[in-house]
């Protein structure tokens, strides 16, 4: 695993360290009490959103985590594929805005095919986001194939 991404995943998916909890509580409770009676009951948080509205999956997509790590995360917590940001973006939206690999797009679409039809707060589907931000980075035939261009063909019709 790449250390930077592994640290990001650990930071997002594990309860805070005992020292962090003690500090947040103003050091009024001894570490051994926090370790034994508070920390074990804090949930892991892969489904929660951070302060800017991203889940761990969305953060890993933004940081261009390898596809196999995304697959492992989705196997461990498949509900993440349905979580949206504050801007109503699915993980597939995030991937399209960030210019991830075709393989990553395929993994995300396979996990949640209906995400191709979801609109974000800007009223864009993931495919539209990709066209606006990263279309030239991909093999267009492959893109049309994985996004089922038959249902999106109206985007290419000129008035």
């Amino acid at each position: 695993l790449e250390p930077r991404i592994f640290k990001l995943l650990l930071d997002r998916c594990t309860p805070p360290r005992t020292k962090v909890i003690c500090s947040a509580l103003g050091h009024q409770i001894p570490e051994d009490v926090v370790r034994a009676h508070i920390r074990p009951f804090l949930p892991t948080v892969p489904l929660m959103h951070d302060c800017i509205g991203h889940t761990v999956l969305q953060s890993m997509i933004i940081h261009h985590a390898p596809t196999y790590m995304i697959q492992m995360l989705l196997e461990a917590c498949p509900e993440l594929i349905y979580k949206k940001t504050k801007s109503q973006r699915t993980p597939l939206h995030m991937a399209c805005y960030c210019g991830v690999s075709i393989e990553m797009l395929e993994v995300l679409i396979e996990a949640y095919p209906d995400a191709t039809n979801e609109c974000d707060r800007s009223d864009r589907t993931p495919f539209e986001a990709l066209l606006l931000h990263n279309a030239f980075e991909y093999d267009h035939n492959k893109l049309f194939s994985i996004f089922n261009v038959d249902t999106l063909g109206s985007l290419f019709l000129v008035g």
Side-chain angles (χ1 to χ4, degrees), residues 13-37:
C13 292
T14 58
R17 292 179 208 84
T18 302
K19 289 183 181 195
V20 172
I21 298 168
C22 287
S23 176
L25 296 172
H27 298 283
Q28 296 175 357
I29 300 174
E31 278 191 38
D32 59 330
V33 174
V34 170
R35 189 176 298 108
H37 300 287

Side-chain angles (χ1 to χ4, degrees), residues 26-85:
H27 298 283
Q28 296 175 357
I29 300 174
E31 278 191 38
D32 59 330
V33 174
V34 170
R35 189 176 298 108
H37 300 287
I38 296 175
R39 192 171 186 277
F41 299 99
L42 294 176
T44 55
V45 292
L47 292 175
M48 292 180 68
H49 292 87
D50 64 14
C51 62
I52 56 174
H54 298 145
T55 64
V56 66
L57 173 61
Q58 293 155 347
S59 293
M60 289 177 69
I61 290 168
I62 291 166
H63 289 92
H64 292 267
T67 302
Y68 76 91
M69 290 180 78
I70 298 297
Q71 289 172 311
M72 288 172 40
L73 182 60
L74 286 172
E75 287 171 16
C77 195
E79 306 87 33
L80 281 171
I81 197 69
Y82 304 106
K83 291 290 195 175
K84 294 181 178 182
T85 65

Side-chain angles (χ1 to χ4, degrees), residues 35 100 121:
R35 189 176 298 108
V100 302
R121 192 181 303 166

Side-chain angles (χ1 to χ4, degrees), residues 2 5 15 17-18 30 44 48 54 63 96 109 111 124 140 148:
E2 296 170 11
I5 295 173
R17 292 179 208 84
T18 302
T44 55
M48 292 180 68
H54 298 145
H63 289 92
C96 290
I109 291 171
R124 291 189 184 114
H140 291 104
N148 190 5

